[in-house]
Amino acid sequence: MDSGYYIDMEHKRGAENYHPLPVVVESAEGAWITDVEGRRYPDFLSAYSALNFGHGNPRLIGAAQAQLEKVTLTSRAVHSALLGPFCEELGDLVGQDR
């Protein structure tokens, strides 16, 4: 199936909250993404959270796997054993209280 198929499906069935580029990503590694037609692009979307570290980073995959085996996700309606320590470490790193 080509990009048009996937894009049409999203238009018919998905919410309209972005106006994405006409690229349908099938795979990614490091700083590169590959579309369903096999074209490669440098992934310049580093502003999106974990993408700063590239796709398929072995250390991040290991850390994510270890966490997923314990708790997949918690709502902010309850507390996490990791959020407070993470915030403290991040604040110390950047020299801020919050």
Side-chain angles (χ1 to χ4, degrees):
M1 290 175 238
D2 66 3
S3 294
Y5 171 82
Y6 294 103
I7 292 170
D8 287 344
M9 184 183 291
E10 283 187 25
H11 283 299
K12 290 177 187 172
R13 305 301 298 261
E16 299 263 344
N17 57 342
Y18 282 97
H19 294 289
L21 299 170
V23 174
V24 179
V25 177
E26 182 174 53
S27 63
E29 183 177 349
W32 294 90
I33 59 174
T34 304
D35 71 9
V36 294
E37 281 91 21
R39 292 179 294 239
R40 290 185 51 173
Y41 305 87
D43 188 347
F44 292 121
L45 295 177
S46 65
Y48 280 91
S49 185
L51 294 184
N52 290 317
F53 303 105
H55 301 276
N57 182 303
R59 269 184 73 202
L60 292 179
I61 290 171
Q65 180 68 39
Q67 180 59 39
L68 288 167
E69 290 173 359
K70 292 174 20 176
V71 177
T72 303
L73 178 69
T74 58
S75 164
R76 290 298 306 273
V78 296
H79 297 278
S80 163
L82 297 177
L83 183 59
F86 168 76
C87 292
E88 181 177 57
E89 187 173 333
L90 182 60
D92 290 347
L93 177 69
V94 298
Q96 299 291 320
D97 290 336
R98 297 189 103 174

